[in-house]
Amino acid sequence: MKILLQVAKESLAWSQALSKWLPEAQIFSGKGVASCDYAVVWHPPAQAFEGQTKLNAIFSVGAGVDGLLSMASLPQHVPLIRMEDVGMADQMAEYALYIALRHLRQINKYEQDQRAIRWDPQAFRPRSSLRIGVLGLGTLGGRVAQVLAEFGFKVSGWSRSPKNLPGIQCFHEASGLDRLLAMVDILFVMLPLTLETTNLLDEVRLSLLPAGSTLVNLSRGKIVSESALISALDSGVLAQAFLDVFAVEPLSPDHTFWKRTDIHITPHVAALTPPDAAAEQVASKIRAMIAGQPVTGTVRRKFGY
Ligand code: NDP
Ligand code: OXD
């Protein structure tokens, strides 16, 4: 079996992990590669699929496939299979819990108080007083919503199809999104970037949030309009934003986001794909495909995720 490996970084770690879980495979990561049976990719170069006429499947080592789907050279009739969880759901939940707890315990205020040498204790606030919305209730967003709800926060969520999840008030459709936005203190964006979600959170939608709320984007930058985000911060609709993802990455050094104290930036690290667990998942899916069994995680191209 021949595997084409095209990952933008940590190529050696990926190659070792694939060899561990698929010892029978020959792994090719350079140029001028022979025809391969499977491809394992993340941000591959534009010509990565040239001459690859025998591919049975393309595995994305990321959960999001918007970048791959936008490549003109992506073979149209080869199944595209994305990463499912491999530990990323818990990483997302850690990130979300950190932000929710900061908010509940008013750490921002106490940090400001320290700078102002001010002793000003606030009253107790129960976890159930914090209203959290999660857009996207899939593998990652679903786990985020579940962990926050189990922790005692008041959680609502929004997805494309209707859902019924324990402890979570579930919404769908555009009217459901508008209802959710009007009732949350913290909004987590956990949606894939598709034609439908691009610029979903524009000026009109952000204005539905209660004044002083917090926006957290952990999925894709282009889902939130940058100009609408700045206006919402300037007008006080948003008190702050936590951004892990950006329309253009890396975020340009002269981007206005860097200089704002009401924007907290992390460099697309909310959930990192661990090569070993990911290679194990790829290997088990390849074995299932060879055995003629169905595999999960196949991207439905008409929905874009
Ligand atoms: P899933 O495909 O499992 O879940 C996507 C969710 O979004 C589903 O609940 C889906 O609804 C919902 N959704 C999709 N389109 C719409 C729409 N038009 N309207 C309403 N809901 C919609 O994806 P994952 O949870 O695995 O990953 C989510 C995203 O996280 C990835 O696409 C990627 O962009 C991002 N990501 C970011 C990382 C980081 O480090 N910052 C790391 C990994 C991923 P339904 O359930 O009805 O299908
Ligand atoms: C992913 C990502 O999609 O890292 O896995 O964003």
Side-chain angles (χ1 to χ4, degrees), residues 121-141:
Q122 300 293 297
F124 165 73
R125 297 201 307 198
R127 291 178 189 171
S128 58
S129 67
L130 190 63
R131 302 165 304 166
I132 299 180
V134 181
L135 304 187
L137 294 170
T139 310
L140 306 182

Side-chain angles (χ1 to χ4, degrees), residues 75-122:
Q76 290 305 303
H77 301 293
V78 178
L80 173 60
I81 300 170
R82 69 188 199 89
M83 236 350 102
E84 295 178 285
D85 189 359
V86 291
M88 288 194 282
D90 280 346
Q91 293 178 56
M92 285 293 191
E94 286 165 7
Y95 199 116
L97 200 50
Y98 162 73
I99 290 169
L101 289 172
R102 270 190 76 93
H103 199 289
L104 180 74
R105 302 306 300 259
Q106 303 181 69
I107 300 299
N108 268 1
K109 176 198 155 27
Y110 293 127
E111 284 175 351
Q112 282 163 17
D113 285 356
Q114 179 175 354
R115 285 194 287 276
I117 314 184
R118 186 168 50 222
W119 183 271
D120 181 26
Q122 300 293 297

